[in-house]
Amino acid sequence: MAGELVDEALAALLPADCLICLAPLPWRQKGSVCLPCWERLPWAPGVRRPAGARSALQAVAWAADYDGPIRRLVQALKFEGVDGLGRHLGEAAARQMAPLLRSPSLAAPLVVPVPLHWWRRLVRGYNQAGLLAAPIARAVGVPLRADLLRRPRAGRRQLGLSRGERLRTLSDCYRARVAIGRGRSRVSLRGATVLLVDDVVTTGATLEACARELRSAGAAAVFGFALARTPRRAGARQPVRAAGEIASA
């Protein structure tokens, strides 16, 4: 009885609605989403190999389609200041992609989030890719190194642009450091395998631009990992494999 009273009091003091179903939330919640909605999230893990031999990416993986409730949560994370979603979504994505993340073929010693331009980070207050990447790095058991890649130039807005146009506008937007630190704390990209984390992949141009810079700085291999993939248009060709298939390839 006492526990129920405490729950009611906390719910009254901290009123909120679930971001997905809009039902009133109990105080025991996960990132502003009720537990039933968390359990019903439509995860759809997949992996594809980039087309063409010139890509700097070994593969691009995602945990869900950027649609429905997943789209709603990403928008809340990016544009509504619900930064608490980052940890929960990152943990859930890591669970969905566990076969790939634990694959010997990946074995990434470094997890690097796609950086934001300093002004956008200042306005938003955080980098959503960094929030997602932190629990993924913990799941893999390797360091998160946001300091190895930065975005000194803002570039154009990407919405509505083709992949080729996006790659051109992203040219010179990113800069990678060959190494940071000294002595035992020194971290180098030379010969390293990098897991590059972002929130959403559409054409893959952002991941490709970052991967090119990381490879230029000495990384031996770069794998892209996004929470969600924008679904392809009907009839568009894109070979997709399950995470377990590519993990055993």
Side-chain angles (χ1 to χ4, degrees):
M1 182 67 179
E4 293 178 2
L5 291 174
V6 171
D7 286 354
E8 291 177 3
L10 287 171
L13 290 171
L14 303 171
D17 293 333
C18 173
L19 288 169
I20 296 174
C21 70
L22 304 181
L25 281 171
W27 71 277
R28 291 192 180 93
Q29 56 177 292
K30 292 179 64 176
S32 301
V33 179
C34 69
L35 294 182
C37 282
W38 270 110
E39 294 170 359
R40 291 194 298 266
L41 286 178
W43 299 106
V47 182
R48 66 173 173 83
R49 301 282 190 185
R54 298 180 62 183
S55 176
L57 288 160
Q58 301 296 112
V60 177
W62 58 88
D65 285 333
Y66 185 54
D67 201 5
I70 295 291
R71 182 187 183 98
R72 173 70 188 100
L73 296 185
V74 172
Q75 290 177 341
L77 173 63
K78 292 179 68 171
F79 307 120
E80 299 174 28
V82 190
D83 56 328
L85 276 170
R87 176 172 65 88
H88 295 297
L89 287 172
E91 290 173 350
R95 287 193 296 270
Q96 293 298 318
M97 302 302 290
L100 176 63
L101 293 175
R102 296 170 185 167
S103 167
S105 64
L106 193 150
L110 296 173
V111 173
V112 176
V114 171
L116 285 179
H117 183 258
W118 69 268
W119 176 252
R120 180 166 292 181
R121 176 166 183 146
L122 180 64
V123 171
R124 186 169 294 167
Y126 53 87
N127 177 9
Q128 72 278 358
L131 297 180
L132 294 167
I136 292 170
R138 288 195 297 271
V140 180
V142 300
L144 173 68
R145 301 313 306 236
D147 45 4
L148 283 171
L149 188 64
R150 60 191 182 91
R151 183 168 183 169
R153 191 168 72 83
R156 281 181 57 195
R157 184 175 174 82
Q158 302 295 300
L159 185 64
L161 300 182
S162 68
R163 175 179 168 82
E165 290 170 333
R166 291 183 183 215
L167 282 171
R168 286 191 291 274
T169 63
L170 290 170
S171 178
D172 299 324
C173 278
Y174 299 98
R175 288 287 183 271
R177 298 180 179 181
V178 175
I180 55 173
R182 295 181 179 180
R184 293 183 178 179
S185 63
R186 187 173 187 269
V187 177
S188 175
L189 278 175
R190 295 196 183 280
T193 300
V194 175
L195 185 65
L196 180 65
V197 178
D198 204 0
D199 53 351
V200 178
V201 57
T202 301
T203 66
T206 297
L207 291 175
E208 180 67 30
C210 290
R212 289 178 182 179
E213 184 63 23
L214 291 167
R215 294 292 298 274
S216 295
V222 181
F223 291 83
F225 187 111
L227 170 68
R229 172 202 63 158
T230 301
R232 294 288 177 172
R233 296 185 302 273
R237 296 181 61 188
Q238 181 178 10
V240 175
R241 302 167 69 183
E245 293 179 35
I246 199 166
S248 60

